[in-house]
Amino acid sequence: MINKRIAVIGTPGKWSTEVLADHLERLTGFRCVVDMAEVVLNLQTGKLTYRDVVLNELDGVIIKKISETYSPAADDRIRMLDGLRADGVRCFSAPEQVGRLINRLEGTAALARGGVPLPETRITENTQAALAVVDEFGKAILKPLYSTKARGMIVLEAADGTEVNTHKLETFRTEHGLFYLQKFVNLGGQDLGMVFLGGEYLCTYARVGDANAWNTTINSGGKYQAYDASPELIELGYKAQSCFDLSFTTVDIALTEEGPVVFEVSAFGGFSGALKGCGIDAAEKLCEYVLNELETG
């Protein structure tokens, strides 16, 4: 066993969190799953405590899940972790990099600046401007700035008319505020998850959608399958994930008639797709990567 104390910041009881903790316990003999809802930050000392564990005294932490849902509060939790590195605690991934992806606008803006092809996207607070975008696109997806797995997303069609779309936009505004509108992309029944570990390509899986859903997420009935990505597609994934500095991530890619586009780079990445689609235990590989990084400095 390797004598390192590494905690998993995640959701106690959830498979993706617990499988990391299982692997770390097997490799190091130490097990600690941290629920950020119970963490206390002492600003005078800079210490973060979870029950009887002082996180500043650990060798490292793996940030697997900061919250069950993305929100400004999730961003606050990330900021609480910023001080760990000052005490020599390695974070996988670094909190400031994860924070760039909690907010959809910040994450996709970084991709756009990096020259990564995205679906056409417009952001505005103005309802009339948003209606003009829907008319321009013909069909658009209205997305909350803080969400995952297509939660809270709404399809708007110009054919539905101004009155219907105005009502949808104003209802959306009451909960989410800013309008983030993306041109509807025909997925052809699938999109891809391209997995990277330490900046290196690991595998690609497909999410094959349910015929009755507009998106391919597992929450909407999608299924995982293996996918043999071309070198050109892998290069696109490299380009997208290199806009950030993440220990582990998944790049979401759609194959459209105009060519591949990137939807997003995940703040945390997922293990299920790699395991069920490609037969790769990405959680185990992440733990081995983390231990090697700690051993080699």
Side-chain angles (χ1 to χ4, degrees):
M1 284 190 180
I2 299 173
N3 186 26
K4 297 291 182 184
R5 299 171 73 239
I6 305 162
V8 178
I9 294 174
T11 306
K14 289 290 186 178
W15 175 78
S16 61
T17 295
E18 297 294 343
V19 73
L20 275 175
D22 289 344
H23 285 308
L24 287 171
E25 185 176 22
R26 174 177 57 81
L27 293 166
T28 69
F30 180 80
R31 184 189 187 93
C32 180
V33 173
V34 176
D35 182 349
M36 284 298 296
E38 296 184 31
V39 171
V40 177
L41 169 60
N42 184 325
L43 284 178
Q44 278 63 48
T45 64
K47 301 299 183 185
L48 287 92
T49 55
Y50 173 70
R51 299 180 181 176
D52 60 348
V53 177
V54 180
L55 302 187
N56 309 64
E57 297 173 355
L58 299 175
D59 295 295
V61 297
I62 299 177
I63 306 174
K64 182 62 193 83
K65 199 78 171 177
I66 204 69
S67 173
E68 275 302 286
T69 57
Y70 285 8
S71 69
D75 191 52
D76 293 339
R77 289 180 173 184
I78 285 292
R79 295 179 189 279
M80 288 176 66
L81 298 172
D82 281 339
L84 290 179
R85 288 197 302 168
D87 286 335
V89 181
R90 297 281 300 277
C91 298
F92 303 91
S93 299
E96 69 270 15
Q97 295 297 319
V98 172
R100 295 174 66 200
L101 289 162
I102 293 294
N103 180 297
R104 175 171 277 108
L105 175 54
E106 184 172 356
T108 49
L111 292 171
R113 288 193 300 269
V116 176
L118 306 167
E120 285 195 63
T121 306
R122 307 283 189 275
I123 295 95
T124 183
E125 295 181 38
N126 184 276
T127 301
Q128 293 306 310
L131 287 168
V133 170
V134 175
D135 287 340
E136 177 190 351
F137 289 170
K139 190 174 184 179
I141 308 297
L142 179 59
K143 300 183 176 184
L145 293 189
Y146 298 94
S147 75
T148 59
K149 304 185 188 303
R151 295 185 183 96
M153 296 184 186
I154 299 171
V155 178
L156 300 176
E157 298 193 53
D160 289 339
T162 299
E163 184 176 351
V164 169
N165 286 329
T166 297
H167 176 72
K168 289 181 178 180
L169 286 163
E170 293 299 337
T171 301
F172 181 92
R173 182 203 293 280
T174 60
E175 183 175 358
H176 302 292
L178 196 72
F179 301 131
Y180 178 108
L181 292 149
Q182 207 160 60
K183 188 174 183 178
F184 186 90
V185 174
N186 188 347
L187 300 178
Q190 71 171 15
D191 70 344
L192 309 177
M194 190 171 289
V195 185
F196 289 85
L197 174 62
E200 298 300 322
Y201 175 72
L202 192 61
C203 66
T204 301
Y205 57 85
R207 282 178 293 254
V208 181
D210 183 288
N212 297 315
W214 64 265
N215 66 77
T216 62
T217 64
I218 303 306
N219 280 5
S220 298
K223 305 295 182 185
Y224 294 120
Q225 292 182 5
Y227 186 88
D228 184 16
S230 68
E232 294 78 15
L233 204 58
I234 295 171
E235 185 59 34
L236 173 60
Y238 268 117
K239 185 176 184 178
Q241 64 89 37
S242 69
C243 293
F244 311 94
D245 184 14
L246 299 163
S247 304
F248 180 79
T249 188
T250 303
V251 181
D252 288 347
I253 299 175
L255 304 178
T256 76
E257 293 178 354
E258 293 77 29
V261 294
V262 172
F263 280 132
E264 66 178 12
V265 175
S266 171
F268 309 106
F271 300 144
S272 290
L275 185 61
K276 296 176 182 177
C278 307
I280 293 175
D281 189 339
E284 181 178 42
K285 289 187 177 295
L286 175 56
C287 291
E288 291 170 348
Y289 167 82
V290 166
L291 287 169
N292 182 65
E293 288 290 299
L294 292 176
E295 286 289 296
T296 59

